[in-house]
Amino acid sequence: MRGARISRWLIAVPMALLALATIYPLVFTANAAMKTRRDYILDRFAFADTLRWDNIATAWTSAGTARYFFNSVTVVAGAVALLLLLGSMSGFALSHLRFRGSRALLLGCLAALFVPFQVIMVPLVRTMADTGLVDTYPGLILAYVAQYLPFTIYLMTSYYSAIPAEIVDAARIDGNTTYGVYRRIMLPMGRPALLSVGVLNALFCWNDVLIALLMMPSAEHRTLMVGVTSLRGQYSADIPTFASGVLIAAVPVLAVYLFFQRRIADAVTAGSTKG
Amino acid sequence: MPLGDFTPLLARPARAGRADGTGAAPPRRRRTGRLSAERLSPFVLIAPAVLVIVLFRLWPLLLGVNFSFTGDGDRNGAAVGLDNYAELFADPLFLGALRNVGWLVLLLPVAVAIPGMLATFIYLHVPGHRFYRSVYFFPAVLSPVIVGSIFNLLLSFDGPVNSLLGLAGLGPVDWLGDSNVAMFTVVGVHVWATFGMSLVVFLSGFATLDPALLDAARSDGATLPQVIRHVIIPGLSRTIQFVFVTTMIGMLTSMFGLIYVMTSGGPGGSTYLPEYYIWIQQGQMNRPAFASAASTVLFLVMLVVGLAQVSFLRRTGKED
């Protein structure tokens, strides 16, 4: 057993180093954001002596960051709300209602899951432009919904499939219509799945850059991630302000991660064990 | 097919073959207006989703393939046959992008093995395994834009990584400016950012593994490599297959953000991937039909690579 213990530690040390390599880049960035330009140039690695928020304030007010932040929040909120509504409605129908073609629909949905955005982006943007949706909030929201809906439906269907048919039947005997069952049974019972899927979708939409680049060409409609891509050019000589901009974009994600870590991991793995 | 609503006893046996739409026809006793609304309800519930998926996902796929056989600019809309494809395969940038895809396929086993090994150690309860689990997963939630920006900072020629290497008497390495190095740098950063995702998937696969098998192997005196080879790999073949396919899809479709932020395809076009090429043709060159041809090629590449992987992994799985 002694030998086994030693080899465990031989593994643990590289793992600890890897953990450090995982965390340190963000720590470095946060630290750089707290320094003055002069301090950063003199010694990049030393920890900032005080928490200095001037750079954060500069990054927030200049370079349109506040505006982009607002755009991102609006679009993410709209997309997630719509995704959860449509996802739970279809998940309920596909798992508990029998109707002609439901199996084909489920398969079509899975097929859509494997159509990457890069493959459809050119015609999609053209369709969006033809319908006047490019450079509008609803346009970007719709693009996100189209992108993440197959995945959302898939997860909601598999979650709802685990709810026994007896519960639905009992609700019907109590006089509920299908819509009543959806509202009074499926929505409340689906809450854990809706939360997981909602958090994951919020991350996807918040983190996206390609769809946002294509759908929101004008500067005033930029999302935060698109805004971050232009920071480097703007602050190439002012690393602390650049780092502050990056930090502003990362902090909401970090907060969500700390709160919902398990749920995110559950939603990510739900597809792998069921499929 | 009407719902089996209000007739739960009749409907229940048919529900076992859920949603195949071929169950026995339930009696049509009720004839009120409410019932016809009921009958339509599944379609009402699913219609918005179907509309969105068909309109903005499946239809564009067809449209794009169709579009790739037409011209741009002066020849806008005119049928040009295979011209776009011919031009595509004559463009060194696109060929370079395909070559990089080849590199990704070669690097794929590494990108799968790293999280696989780490998950094995965590599963075998290395000291601090809970901590590692959440730390390793954390970069997976960051946007490629944020990851790319951070590594831009760290990997710049006079940046912190090179100054650390300098302390060890190595380097400096021009991580993003050397065309022989840049692609590997970007892939490395991508793996840094995503291995936690595969790790979590592996761990959920381990949860389905029978611990008795491991105990038996151990009490027979099997070493760790033997356990991995004869117990873990066969037991997790489905998970491994899943991780292979998703990692490949991830490499082909979610590196845009990194490339856009870190190299813009450079230096000298050495870090182009098909998705970036498509974006350049569409967004910068304003050549949508040509970009559609590149999209179609990417789709075919993914299809071929995906199917080849699945059949290859099936075959190796059977040999065990």
Side-chain angles (χ1 to χ4, degrees), chain A residues 8-212:
Chain A
R8 272 193 177 185
W9 282 105
L10 277 181
I11 293 165
V13 170
M15 284 185 87
L17 288 177
L18 186 61
L20 191 67
T22 309
I23 295 289
Y24 188 69
L26 200 75
V27 173
F28 181 89
T29 309
N31 189 38
M34 295 297 145
K35 292 182 172 188
T36 62
R37 255 166 88 177
R38 194 184 133 76
D39 284 350
Y40 181 80
I41 291 164
L42 285 178
D43 186 349
R44 286 172 288 210
F45 297 104
F47 280 98
D49 40 8
T50 53
L51 292 180
R52 202 176 285 104
W53 302 103
D54 328 354
N55 299 319
I56 302 271
T58 313
W60 178 256
T61 49
S62 69
T65 307
R67 167 96 213 161
Y68 303 155
F69 196 94
F70 169 79
N71 289 340
S72 275
V73 170
T74 310
V75 169
V76 170
V80 170
L82 213 55
L83 277 165
L84 293 183
L85 180 69
L86 299 189
S88 60
M89 276 166 37
S90 346
F92 168 44
L94 290 172
S95 62
H96 282 274
L97 306 178
R98 295 184 313 132
F99 57 96
R100 199 180 289 282
S102 67
R103 184 140 201 95
L105 278 179
L106 194 59
L107 286 176
C109 189
L110 286 179
L113 206 54
F114 291 101
V115 179
F117 180 75
Q118 284 79 0
V119 170
I120 57 161
M121 70 186 196
V122 176
L124 177 70
V125 169
R126 171 169 266 215
T127 309
M128 291 281 188
D130 289 345
T131 44
L133 285 167
V134 166
D135 215 18
T136 64
Y137 291 120
L140 185 55
I141 289 174
L142 259 181
Y144 283 145
V145 170
Q147 177 66 17
Y148 301 117
L149 191 55
F151 163 78
T152 308
I153 292 178
Y154 174 68
L155 284 190
M156 289 315 296
T157 305
S158 73
Y159 184 84
Y160 279 149
S161 293
I163 293 180
E166 283 77 8
I167 292 182
V168 177
D169 296 337
R172 287 190 188 285
I173 291 169
D174 289 346
N176 280 301
T177 62
T178 306
Y179 306 109
V181 174
Y182 170 70
R183 206 154 43 84
R184 297 197 192 91
I185 309 288
M186 287 299 158
L187 277 186
M189 285 191 79
R191 215 177 283 158
L194 288 170
L195 186 55
S196 301
V197 176
V199 167
L200 203 58
N201 276 325
L203 283 178
F204 287 157
C205 298
W206 180 268
N207 286 343
D208 163 74
V209 63
L210 179 56
I211 302 177

Side-chain angles (χ1 to χ4, degrees), chain A residues 15 44 102 115 118 178 257, chain B residues 19 38 57 134 136 158 275:
Chain A
M15 284 185 87
R44 286 172 288 210
S102 67
V115 179
Q118 284 79 0
T178 306
Y257 179 66
Chain B
E38 268 299 289
R57 238 177 126 86
S134 54
Y136 290 161
D158 55 354
E275 55 168 336

